[in-house]
Amino acid sequence: MQYTLLIVLLPLISFIFLGLMDSKLKPKVAGIIGTSVLGIITALSYTAAFEYFTMHKIAGVYERLIPLHIEWVRFTEFLHIDLGILLDPISIMMLVVITTVSFMVNLYSTSYMHGEKGFQRYFAFLSLFTFSMLGLVIATNIFQMYIFWELVGVSSYLLIGFYYTKPSAVAAAKKAFIVTRFADLGFLVGILFLSFYTKTFDFGILTSGNPNVFASTVGVSFMGLSVMSWAMGLIFIGGAGKSAMFPLQIWLPDAMEGPTPVSALIHAATMVVAGVYLVARLFPVYEVYAPDVLHGIAYIGAFTSLFAAVIACVQTDIKRVLAFSTISQIGFMMVGLGVSGYGAHEGLGYMASMFHLFTHAMFKALLFLGAGSVIHAVHSNEMKDMGGLRKYMPITNYTFLIACLAIAGIYPFSGFFSKDEILAATFEFSPYLGGVMSIIAGLTAFYMFRLYYSIFWGKGHKHAHDHTPHESPLAMSIPLIFLAVVTIFAGFIPFGHFVTSDLANYDIHLDMTVAVMSVSIAIFSIGIATLMYRKESKIPNIMGKTFSHLHKSASNRFYIDEVYIFITKKIIFKNISTPIAWFDKHIIDATMDGFAGVTQWTSVKIKGFQSGQVQQYAYIFLLGTLIIAALVLFV
């Protein structure tokens, strides 16, 4: 399967070509090139998936293939950094997800970004983003993953700040870059800890189950935690930053300042699922050598999911509702991984998490592209400028509704199957945590249909434009229809036959108790949203006044951004950075300036000794001779 190298290389070639040619190419040509390349690698990914899942299974277990392996840097006899391609169920699944969503986004963007300044640059950045994420998921070792991890960060910075003349976009890009850099520092330190004790970066060795690999970590602890807990906890911090887990979620809502198709790409298939993929890739290590960290991941995911769901219930910008929805759904995936290892099938949570990653990528891309279609029609992100759009935009209306039903967990849409498996695994781990996740699922159904009704139903409001809204062009509608079809049928894929924690088959069996309960909660929540938002109602205002403090806090994201600003400006900058700057200026710099001043003063005083006058030299020589003679005679 060496041809899989093309899946990674073609987007890189596209980025270099489009970046170098830039203004030399017509915008339409740049769009065709970028989209065509994505179409080719999507076809190659589907070919690779078909070949792998049909031809590379031995004794009921899928093989781990390495079609390419190059040693890059060698540190010691055992420790070296390699570059290569690793093909196993989760990397193959991610190739399909990334290329599918990226292709849909590129096709959609040819129309959505038409007429934008920097059109060619935009498609170059999309290719770089796709290359970075593909390189991340096929990495054979954790250091190769880290290299592409940082490239994903650079790509997101470029795309979020695409409108570089807009101050809010520049600020959002810097915020995303800085927050994730702090998280990535933890990731890097964790990699160094892990490689120091295991003497390897290789995923195959780390996840082989060979206890000798971790023999040197036995009995080594710090502050009551094993060295493996520290290493894997620090690695998870990197994943928490990329996947916007609390308290590192502050960058993601502001990332909506980028073009809407970029939001679809970041939220559906690339940046935010990187943390989930990281934990899944190292899952055997977490499960055996750091189970306490794995449980912590579950609780962090649950809190993040609840936190984001509550905020999503009161947001008025449609892209920010979807942004907090993404944070909440990523929390679901983290919970699935964190609770895996319990119950009748120990890998249920792992399989469910990967299944939800797959289904969520499709319907979340559909939601963002649908939101882009709406914004394209009304030229506003705010719900107050929308309403009644189902009459003017039937394709967007129906496809958006399908995505809302899927994320709400309504049968038979794909989100029902994947979310139900996560809930079943969570209930096996802890009934209390399962109850919390069920409540979050209900909130999800509520805020998504609040969003749906606010956009497409009601009498409609005075729009922020002078023309009648209309359906999007074909280049934008085709991705919506395709993703809607996938969202309808993806739940029936026997996902457990392809992706499991032990590479063996698992037949999905619905837990009817959990399924009936989750669907009932979802229907109840949708009913409340219907009552409150399908038609104009005073209930939202009454609820907002009744719970004014909660409503205000949630509207302001519970003031987490303000807390960060207070800590950085009032504590770090004022009480730490300012004294350090004063010490640097008045002590360090003043001392060096003092040395320079003394040296200069001395040089001025003694420079007369180098006057070049022979008479003066003779006088000084004679005086010196007399002084020496006097000392010899009288001392």
Side-chain angles (χ1 to χ4, degrees):
M1 299 182 69
Q2 286 85 355
Y3 64 86
T4 51
L5 178 61
L6 290 174
I7 298 174
V8 182
L9 285 184
L10 287 177
L12 175 62
I13 294 170
S14 173
F15 161 67
I16 293 172
F17 179 76
L18 293 176
L20 291 177
M21 297 302 290
D22 194 17
S23 58
K24 298 180 180 67
L25 288 175
K26 292 182 179 179
K28 186 176 181 180
V29 174
I32 291 173
I33 292 173
T35 305
S36 299
V37 168
L38 263 296
I40 293 169
I41 66 169
T42 302
L44 288 173
S45 296
Y46 279 66
T47 302
F50 179 79
E51 180 179 342
Y52 178 82
F53 286 120
T54 57
M55 300 176 60
H56 294 282
K57 197 171 188 179
I58 300 176
V61 176
Y62 289 109
E63 297 179 83
R64 296 168 66 95
L65 304 179
I66 301 181
L68 176 71
H69 183 270
I70 302 171
E71 185 179 292
W72 182 32
V73 179
R74 176 169 287 277
F75 297 109
T76 67
E77 180 183 355
F78 302 104
L79 192 60
H80 48 88
I81 299 176
D82 303 333
L83 297 176
I85 296 175
L86 170 61
L87 300 180
D88 66 355
I90 58 171
S91 63
I92 289 288
M93 181 268 292
M94 288 300 296
L95 287 181
V96 171
V97 168
I98 293 166
T99 54
T100 300
V101 174
S102 296
F103 178 50
M104 291 297 109
V105 166
N106 272 259
L107 177 59
Y108 183 95
S109 296
T110 57
S111 178
Y112 186 89
M113 298 296 290
H114 179 71
E116 289 278 2
K117 183 180 179 182
F119 188 86
Q120 300 93 321
R121 173 170 55 90
Y122 171 81
F123 275 89
F125 290 166
L126 284 185
S127 294
L128 176 63
F129 207 156
T130 304
F131 161 72
S132 303
M133 195 64 195
L134 290 170
L136 187 156
V137 299
I138 53 87
T140 60
N141 61 84
I142 196 169
F143 213 96
Q144 181 185 345
M145 177 184 275
Y146 183 77
I147 293 169
F148 284 96
W149 189 276
E150 296 305 313
L151 275 174
V152 169
V154 172
S155 305
S156 65
Y157 172 80
L158 294 172
L159 283 169
I160 294 169
F162 176 76
Y163 299 117
Y164 58 87
T165 57
K166 188 179 176 183
S168 59
V170 174
K174 290 192 293 184
K175 188 175 184 179
F177 192 79
I178 292 169
V179 171
T180 54
R181 290 296 71 70
F182 276 103
D184 292 351
L185 175 61
F187 186 15
L188 178 59
V189 175
I191 291 173
L192 297 178
F193 273 19
L194 184 65
S195 61
F196 177 81
Y197 284 97
T198 62
K199 303 296 186 290
T200 185
F201 295 118
D202 192 85
F203 286 132
I205 298 173
L206 290 170
T207 60
S208 64
N210 183 357
N212 294 328
V213 176
F214 299 92
S216 61
T217 67
V218 176
V220 182
S221 63
F222 177 68
M223 295 179 64
L225 292 175
S226 68
V227 69
M228 285 305 301
S229 293
W230 279 105
M232 302 312 293
L234 287 166
I235 288 172
F236 171 68
I237 289 175
K242 278 285 191 288
S243 290
M245 293 290 97
F246 185 88
L248 300 173
Q249 83 291 342
I250 59 171
W251 67 269
L252 191 57
D254 291 346
M256 299 302 96
E257 293 293 338
T260 302
V262 169
S263 302
L265 193 59
I266 290 176
H267 286 253
T270 54
M271 192 168 178
V272 295
V273 297
V276 178
Y277 181 79
L278 172 63
V279 176
R281 173 56 73 198
L282 291 171
F283 180 76
V285 182
Y286 278 103
E287 184 180 30
V288 177
Y289 299 100
D292 49 344
V293 176
L294 198 59
H295 298 163
I297 290 172
Y299 292 117
I300 291 171
F303 179 81
T304 302
S305 189
L306 177 62
F307 175 85
V310 172
I311 295 175
C313 289
V314 298
Q315 294 296 301
T316 58
D317 182 314
I318 62 173
K319 287 176 67 176
R320 279 181 167 76
V321 173
L322 295 178
F324 283 104
S325 170
T326 297
I327 297 172
S328 185
Q329 295 303 302
I330 296 296
F332 257 91
M333 298 174 206
M334 288 294 189
V335 170
L337 290 170
V339 302
S340 194
Y342 288 83
H345 181 70
E346 293 187 354
L348 174 60
Y350 176 97
M351 185 280 296
S353 176
M354 295 297 97
F355 194 13
H356 199 54
L357 187 156
F358 177 81
T359 60
H360 174 266
M362 302 305 165
F363 58 69
K364 185 50 65 70
L366 176 55
L367 286 167
F368 267 106
L369 296 184
S373 183
V374 171
I375 294 168
H376 184 264
V378 303
H379 305 295
S380 173
N381 292 16
E382 291 293 325
M383 293 182 193
K384 63 181 176 60
D385 297 323
M386 302 169 191
L389 292 179
R390 73 186 189 283
K391 304 172 186 176
Y392 309 103
M393 308 176 70
I395 295 175
T396 304
N397 170 47
Y398 287 119
T399 54
F400 201 91
L401 175 60
I402 288 169
C404 288
L405 290 168
I407 196 172
I410 300 299
Y411 181 87
F413 301 96
S414 60
F416 163 78
F417 295 93
S418 56
K419 187 177 289 187
D420 183 79
E421 293 299 310
I422 290 178
L423 290 175
T426 307
F427 272 107
E428 288 188 359
F429 175 79
S430 166
Y432 299 105
L433 187 59
V436 170
M437 299 310 294
S438 297
I439 293 171
I440 297 169
L443 288 174
T444 302
F446 171 78
Y447 67 66
M448 287 309 305
F449 275 84
R450 168 182 176 263
L451 177 64
Y452 171 72
Y453 287 128
S454 297
I455 295 173
F456 296 102
W457 287 75
K459 294 191 303 183
H461 301 276
K462 186 178 180 181
H463 299 285
H465 53 18
D466 297 324
H467 64 276
T468 302
H470 58 83
E471 188 57 84
S472 298
L474 196 61
M476 293 170 64
S477 297
I478 289 175
L480 297 181
I481 295 169
F482 175 83
L483 291 170
V485 172
V486 174
T487 297
I488 292 171
F489 296 107
F492 296 100
I493 296 173
F495 198 81
H497 288 195
F498 303 113
V499 179
T500 57
S501 60
D502 56 5
L503 304 181
N505 281 0
Y506 170 68
D507 290 315
I508 295 175
H509 301 287
L510 288 178
D511 185 324
M512 292 308 297
T513 302
V514 174
V516 171
M517 179 196 67
S518 63
V519 171
S520 299
I521 292 174
I523 292 173
F524 177 74
S525 300
I526 292 171
I528 294 175
T530 303
L531 180 65
M532 294 175 65
Y533 297 102
R534 185 173 179 271
K535 296 179 179 179
E536 286 193 15
S537 171
K538 296 180 180 179
I539 298 176
N541 290 332
I542 294 172
M543 294 291 288
K545 292 177 181 178
T546 304
F547 302 99
S548 58
H549 294 297
L550 177 61
H551 186 278
K552 185 178 179 181
S553 297
S555 298
N556 289 281
R557 310 177 194 179
F558 291 103
Y559 303 101
I560 300 298
D561 286 75
E562 286 77 5
V563 170
Y564 271 100
I565 291 173
F566 175 80
I567 291 173
T568 52
K569 289 189 174 182
K570 300 296 184 180
I571 298 178
I572 297 177
F573 292 167
K574 184 177 181 180
N575 297 319
I576 299 177
S577 300
T578 300
I580 290 174
W582 183 91
F583 182 83
D584 181 66
K585 182 178 180 180
H586 293 87
I587 304 299
I588 304 298
D589 288 354
T591 301
M592 295 300 104
D593 291 343
F595 287 152
V598 170
T599 303
Q600 185 179 21
W601 178 84
T602 304
S603 68
V604 170
K605 295 299 181 183
I606 66 174
K607 67 181 180 181
F609 290 112
Q610 299 292 330
S611 64
Q613 296 179 5
V614 177
Q615 297 92 330
Q616 183 181 5
Y617 293 164
Y619 170 75
I620 293 174
F621 176 77
L622 179 60
L623 180 62
T625 302
L626 292 174
I627 291 173
I628 292 171
L631 290 173
V632 171
L633 292 174
F634 298 105
V635 176

